[in-house]
Amino acid sequence: MLMLAGIGSWLGAFQAGAAEAVAAPAPAILILGDSLSAEYGLKRGSGWVALLTQRLQRERIAARVVNASISGETTSGGRTRLPALLKQHRPRFVVIELGANDALRGLPLRSSRENLSTMVAAAQAQGAQVVLVGMQMPPNYGKRYSEDFARLFQEVAKAQKCAWVPFFLNGVADRPDARDWFQHDGIHPLEKAHPIMLDNVWGALKPLLLGRQSRT
């Protein structure tokens, strides 16, 4: 009887542990971005963030996507919102896609750099791994400004030791027929561009998801 009781106790503990494992949610990937990640001008479910969910399912990677992107968001706005998002979702991975609106508004790059650095550090302090998504501006903003803007993402990524995407719109904005890949405003990519945008992020994100450190 004592042996049976012991087996029953062990079985009960095993079942409880199994139930807890089943109930545990998949690790969260928090996307903190602007209109490029918020499906501006697109039908719902066609943007790169929605495509990321599909890819995770297709590759059988257990993770859930939380899209906290807002059209028009700046690095300052993201910095303000991030602490509450970290507390609410406790993400294991954070993708920061912000900065383009800072440049479009002519905000000081020093502030953008500080905001991005603070966001990366805050996410890392909560135990999350970060992917910083870089952007570039058209040359009509001035050669020096454009170069400094593109470089600040790399500088932040190296300083904070996080994964980095050199150019979110690589393969879209730099192609010969680029105008045919954007909406009428010339700023927001068409639906057909979003699989390419996902590929650009995926190259930095996938190694983290699989437990391999991505190199900046």
Side-chain angles (χ1 to χ4, degrees):
M1 293 295 292
L2 289 174
M3 181 179 294
L4 290 176
I7 293 174
S9 176
W10 175 84
L11 182 59
F14 175 80
Q15 291 173 334
E20 183 177 347
V22 171
I29 305 171
L30 176 66
I31 313 295
L32 185 63
D34 50 34
S35 56
L36 298 179
S37 300
E39 295 187 328
Y40 178 89
L42 303 176
K43 65 182 180 183
R44 298 300 92 179
S46 64
W48 79 269
V49 179
L51 298 179
L52 171 60
T53 295
Q54 297 175 21
R55 181 166 296 186
L56 291 169
Q57 294 171 347
R58 190 164 60 246
E59 301 208 9
R60 300 181 183 278
I61 296 176
R64 56 192 173 91
V65 178
V66 178
N67 192 357
S69 303
I70 297 177
S71 293
E73 185 70 291
T74 60
T75 59
S76 177
R79 178 178 178 175
T80 299
R81 291 195 298 123
L82 183 57
L85 291 169
L86 293 174
K87 182 177 180 180
Q88 178 183 356
H89 300 290
R90 300 190 179 280
R92 190 173 300 176
F93 310 96
V94 177
V95 179
I96 300 176
E97 181 274 301
L98 292 171
N101 287 314
D102 292 38
L104 290 173
R105 299 180 186 187
L107 300 178
L109 296 184
R110 181 178 66 256
S111 297
S112 300
R113 182 181 291 104
E114 179 184 345
N115 290 332
L116 290 171
S117 296
T118 299
M119 284 188 281
V120 173
Q124 291 174 333
Q126 294 297 315
Q129 296 187 74
V130 179
V131 175
L132 182 61
V133 181
M135 279 294 293
Q136 297 179 18
M137 300 306 294
N140 59 297
Y141 277 75
K143 186 175 185 293
R144 179 173 180 178
Y145 183 89
S146 298
E147 290 177 349
D148 289 348
F149 178 75
R151 190 165 50 245
L152 78 84
F153 295 94
Q154 181 180 16
E155 292 172 349
V156 171
K158 287 189 174 182
Q160 302 296 126
K161 295 181 172 58
C162 71
W164 166 59
V165 177
F167 183 27
F168 191 26
L169 299 181
N170 182 49
V172 178
D174 54 357
R175 57 190 304 138
D177 60 342
R179 189 62 191 87
D180 296 332
W181 288 71
F182 284 82
Q183 299 176 38
H184 294 304
D185 59 13
I187 297 175
H188 298 94
L190 293 168
E191 179 180 331
K192 66 179 182 179
H194 281 257
I196 299 175
M197 295 158 64
L198 170 59
D199 285 341
N200 291 335
V201 176
W202 187 249
L205 178 60
K206 184 178 180 179
L208 304 185
L209 295 170
L210 298 181
R212 300 195 298 265
Q213 183 64 43
S214 180
R215 300 170 66 181
T216 58

